[in-house]
Amino acid sequence: MKKLIGKADIIVICSLLFLALSLLLIILLFNQRGLYVTVTVNNEKIISLPLNENAEYPIENEYGSNYLVIEDGYAYIRDADCRDEICVRTGRINKVNEIIVCLPHKLVISIEDGNEN
Amino acid sequence: MVAKNKRVLSVIIACVLLISCVFASSCEKERFKYQKTYIGAFDTVTVITGFSESQKSFDAIADDFYHRLEEYGRLYDIYQDYVGINNLKTVNDNAGVKPVEVDSRIIDLLLFSKELYEITGGAVNFAMGSVLKFWHDEMIHAQFDPESASVPDEITLKSASLHTSVDGVIINADEGTVYLSDPLMSLDVGALAKGYALERVAKEFEARDWPAIVNVGGNVRTLGMPLNEDFWSVGIKDPDNTSKILKILKIGGNCSVVTSGDYERYFTVSDIRYCHIIDPSTLYSAVNFKSVTVINADSGLADAMSTALFILDIAQGLELAQKYGIEAIWIGKNGERYVTPGFSDYYE
């Protein structure tokens, strides 16, 4: 009596499964490759910086100045010359769609996904 | 013979699977969550989060929503003139002079404001511009020169308060005009204009099958239900530490959450904080609470009520809230909290 599923079949099934899972993993990793810190002034995008690279970025324009810091996977405003410093008091952000706003300086700092869908 | 049948069968199965996959994916296009932040309308930040098929289609509908908000913002603006538009500033500039022909959206807002004046017992007074002007000016002055900030003097405020009667606001809905009979009075709709406009725009978008949540400077309005969760999550900030969330509310579809607080727009004189919400009965900043969060279907009502409940004391506030089906939470000056009976339905 012939076996329903032979050894060769199992090897083929396992290999295909392994291949499919690997491909899925690669795609997922590829999609999560980068979160970015986006700086927008007066509704215009100024720059996008990678969240995983430490950096200091002074933002200075006719509205005022804010000092952006990217450190250990977080973004925050260390210092600003606005009166209330709500942007400073907001603290650190690191998740997609989290934002820091400095209203008098028309400034929005946001975390965005590297990949556009 | 058997092997050949097996092969044919597996090919047929593969084809069926393939076809059904393609069919399934074209039947209901997957939607993803996007977010966009805008600065400008109503002098505040607007954050729109929603589910769309692509970044492009999201941007199109979110921008559309925001532009509609901006239109209302221009109409309800009391500080700036816009070419070709008679707005509230135009009405104010013609106080004691002549009736001004205005867009029906202004008529509707003012009729709504009159109603809210009645039901809040005057706590929300849209005709109090002459008093509020002194506070606004001081707020701006304090921004540029915090050291020299000073509190408006009592006599000045008292004489300004003689020109805050809602009876002076003559609305002619048929003609589409508004006339302020007292030359020294002016309209200030800051207490409810944002919420009212948001409600109007949101209603226009309800039929578009676009699940979204819009936050206009603390006025939150949901459209439909989120696609990835059972409820929208709306956080209440800790007034003492705005990077902290005190509570997360579970909010359903087509619902509004509005917060009034003393922790964002204020100035300080001799270590005393003067926030932007002025109590009509004292003519000075309301001092009962640090924040009030209101939940109701209607954004305009929620906005007006959050102002009223921030100004009134807890007993008056609870009575007003229950009378109009408002759920609310108050956070007092010493961190004490009060809630309406049904408020706990909105969090775990």
Side-chain angles (χ1 to χ4, degrees):
Chain A
M1 209 160 56
K2 254 197 182 151
K3 277 200 211 135
L4 208 55
I5 299 176
K7 200 173 180 188
D9 293 311
I10 293 189
I11 291 174
V12 168
I13 290 169
C14 286
S15 319
L16 283 172
L17 212 62
F18 178 74
L19 191 67
L21 284 171
S22 316
L23 275 168
L24 188 66
L25 207 68
I26 290 170
I27 290 171
L28 281 174
L29 279 173
F30 185 76
N31 275 341
Q32 280 174 30
R33 180 190 50 186
L35 288 183
Y36 283 80
V37 181
T38 301
V39 178
T40 306
V41 176
N42 199 18
N43 300 316
E44 274 174 46
K45 198 181 271 195
I46 304 294
I47 193 170
S48 263
L49 302 164
L51 184 60
N52 57 10
E53 282 174 33
N54 288 1
E56 300 197 359
Y57 187 79
I59 303 159
E60 274 164 60
N61 47 51
E62 71 256 46
Y63 308 113
S65 66
N66 304 72
Y67 202 84
L68 171 67
V69 175
I70 301 175
E71 194 177 70
D72 302 336
Y74 286 91
Y76 64 95
I77 302 285
R78 175 179 291 161
D79 190 42
D81 65 0
C82 53
R83 188 203 59 177
D84 301 320
E85 295 198 350
I86 289 174
C87 52
V88 178
R89 288 191 276 131
T90 302
R92 318 189 297 179
I93 58 173
N94 70 335
K95 296 190 197 71
V96 176
N97 293 341
E98 281 193 301
I99 59 174
I100 302 172
V101 177
C102 180
L103 195 54
H105 294 179
K106 302 189 198 265
L107 170 69
V108 177
I109 311 287
S110 59
I111 306 292
E112 288 181 2
D113 205 315
N115 287 10
E116 308 257 271
N117 276 305
Chain B
M1 221 49 197
V2 175
K4 191 181 175 195
N5 283 348
K6 243 210 253 180
R7 213 179 303 140
V8 168
L9 189 63
S10 43
V11 168
I12 291 172
I13 291 173
C15 288
V16 168
L17 281 173
L18 200 66
I19 292 169
S20 59
C21 267
V22 171
F23 188 63
S25 67
S26 65
C27 256
E28 171 140 349
K29 284 235 165 85
E30 204 187 343
R31 287 192 276 188
F32 306 94
K33 192 180 190 184
Y34 297 97
Q35 180 173 293
K36 194 163 176 182
T37 303
Y38 306 82
I39 289 197
F42 292 98
D43 190 28
T44 191
V45 186
T46 297
V47 183
I48 301 182
T49 310
F51 292 84
S52 298
E53 288 162 18
S54 66
Q55 181 75 60
K56 201 165 166 206
S57 60
F58 172 78
D59 284 349
I61 195 167
D63 287 352
D64 196 10
F65 194 103
Y66 180 70
H67 290 143
R68 293 293 287 154
L69 276 176
E70 275 187 309
E71 274 176 40
Y72 277 91
R74 286 190 285 269
L75 287 170
Y76 299 163
D77 199 327
I78 62 172
Y79 302 107
Q80 237 186 305
D81 292 303
Y82 299 94
V83 178
I85 300 177
N86 283 347
N87 62 4
L88 286 182
K89 181 170 185 292
T90 319
V91 174
N92 285 343
D93 290 345
N94 283 281
V97 176
K98 64 181 197 300
V100 177
E101 204 176 316
V102 290
D103 188 291
S104 63
R105 283 171 280 187
I106 288 180
I107 302 283
D108 293 342
L109 171 72
L110 296 182
L111 290 173
F112 176 77
S113 302
K114 240 185 180 161
E115 205 188 323
L116 264 297
Y117 172 83
E118 304 293 330
I119 73 183
T120 61
V124 177
N125 181 356
F126 67 111
M128 213 167 69
S130 57
V131 169
L132 296 178
K133 189 173 159 354
F134 290 102
W135 289 101
H136 285 313
D137 288 349
E138 202 50 57
M139 200 86 59
I140 295 183
H141 173 211
Q143 228 176 330
F144 293 110
D145 189 4
E147 306 302 308
S148 74
S150 64
V151 184
D153 122 281
E154 201 176 345
I155 296 180
T156 309
L157 293 173
K158 278 215 159 88
S159 54
S161 73
L162 298 175
H163 306 279
T164 59
S165 168
V166 299
D167 294 333
V169 185
I170 318 293
I171 304 169
N172 189 326
D174 298 323
E175 303 275 310
T177 63
V178 181
Y179 173 57
L180 302 180
S181 59
D182 181 341
L184 294 180
M185 79 180 296
S186 71
L187 300 174
D188 188 322
V189 292
L192 43 62
K194 235 175 8 188
Y196 185 78
L198 178 55
E199 183 60 28
R200 297 272 293 228
V201 178
K203 283 214 161 68
E204 289 169 26
F205 281 72
E206 269 174 15
R208 290 172 70 161
D209 183 31
W210 177 51
I213 180 167
V214 181
N215 183 342
V216 184
N219 278 237
V220 175
R221 176 48 153 96
T222 63
L223 288 169
M225 297 298 278
L227 298 181
N228 60 348
E229 274 153 334
D230 293 334
F231 293 96
W232 299 101
S233 295
V234 178
I236 299 179
K237 283 185 188 168
D238 181 346
D240 295 329
N241 180 358
T242 54
S243 62
K244 240 177 72 184
I245 303 284
L246 272 185
K247 238 176 187 20
I248 296 187
L249 304 176
K250 298 187 307 182
I251 302 296
N254 302 340
C255 186
S256 305
V257 184
V258 182
T259 300
S260 285
D262 72 353
Y263 51 89
E264 276 179 1
R265 286 186 205 246
Y266 62 87
F267 64 94
T268 311
V269 178
S270 308
D271 289 334
I272 301 176
R273 177 180 294 187
Y274 293 89
C275 75
H276 70 291
I277 300 172
I278 305 302
D279 184 340
S281 68
T282 64
L283 305 181
Y284 284 82
S285 302
V287 293
N288 288 332
F289 307 101
K290 284 192 179 147
S291 81
V292 178
T293 298
V294 162
I295 304 175
N296 188 265
D298 187 302
S299 271
L301 182 63
D303 196 3
M305 283 299 183
S306 79
T307 307
L309 300 187
F310 188 84
I311 291 170
L312 297 168
D313 66 39
I314 190 60
Q316 297 167 312
L318 277 166
E319 194 186 327
L320 185 64
Q322 291 189 246
K323 190 170 177 191
Y324 290 96
I326 309 287
E327 298 300 339
I329 182 169
W330 292 253
I331 299 175
K333 291 291 197 183
N334 297 311
E336 66 271 31
R337 298 186 200 179
Y338 309 92
V339 288
T340 48
F343 190 81
S344 54
D345 290 347
Y346 294 98
Y347 62 88
E348 292 181 314

